[in-house]
Amino acid sequence: MHIPNGDTAQLELVTFRQALAAANTPNDHYDIAEWLYAPNFYSEYRYILGTRGKNPLICIGINPSTAEPGNLDNTLKSVDRIAKGNGFDSFIMFNVYAQRATNPDAMEKVCNPLLHKENLEAFRYVLSISEKPTVWAAWGAIIEKRAYLADCLRDMVEAAEEYGACWCCAGAISKKGHPHHPLYLKKDEKLRPFDMEAYLRKD
């Protein structure tokens, strides 16, 4: 379990660029040739966790939990399977908001603009890895937990447009139009297009 120690505004954040530089520096805890992890240590927030490749499937959840390189939770194991089953050479788990919380109800009530800014910087980096980035919408109804999450997502959609990203989903869409969370998907689930413009209009 990870219960936040407090609001991230009280933390001295590592910027994404600082975190990326550290993530590209060899360490004794995991193989940086295999893993992309920023920050590269367990903390109250996480920008990126994934495997390295030239054609990653970028999965978007709401907020990070406890997963680390070599210690994936069930959600990340499912993301890895779906990525491989759909022809991607790697996966990157990204989130609408970077604060760690096993229970989304424990997320901070107010958006930390600095954390969001650095998270967007990380998202643009992730989008830049492949020539035609594919972004898997996978946040489920959890996006309703905090009012600021929809605004954070809109900023991410704008960034994705800059890089010509295509959006996809997997599994059933909820009655409110939310894309399915990665858990409890079939092992051979196929990705299909997701209309982000229509989704944002419903919000």
Side-chain angles (χ1 to χ4, degrees), residues 56-91:
L57 173 61
I58 306 166
C59 180
I60 308 294
I62 286 298
N63 69 299
S65 187
T66 59
E68 299 175 278
N71 185 26
L72 301 183
D73 56 22
N74 288 334
T75 295
L76 270 292
K77 289 176 183 176
S78 180
V79 171
D80 187 26
R81 284 196 302 270
I82 299 299
K84 290 175 179 175
N86 282 270
F88 295 87
D89 66 0
S90 53
F91 77 88

Side-chain angles (χ1 to χ4, degrees), residues 36 48 56 58 92 94 121-130 133:
L36 179 59
I48 297 172
I58 306 166
I92 291 176
F94 202 82
E121 182 78 8
F123 188 49
R124 288 190 171 92
Y125 170 77
V126 168
L127 290 166
S128 74
I129 292 175
S130 50

Side-chain angles (χ1 to χ4, degrees), residues 22-33:
N24 290 329
T25 303
N27 66 71
D28 296 331
H29 301 292
Y30 63 91
D31 183 0
I32 67 166

Side-chain angles (χ1 to χ4, degrees), residues 164-184:
C166 60
W167 289 85
C168 63
C169 64
I173 301 296
S174 75
K175 290 182 179 179
K176 291 188 176 181
H178 299 308
H180 200 288
H181 189 275
L183 275 179
Y184 312 122

Side-chain angles (χ1 to χ4, degrees), residues 10 38 61 78 106 113 153 156:
Q10 306 303 315
S78 180
L153 178 62
M156 292 176 63

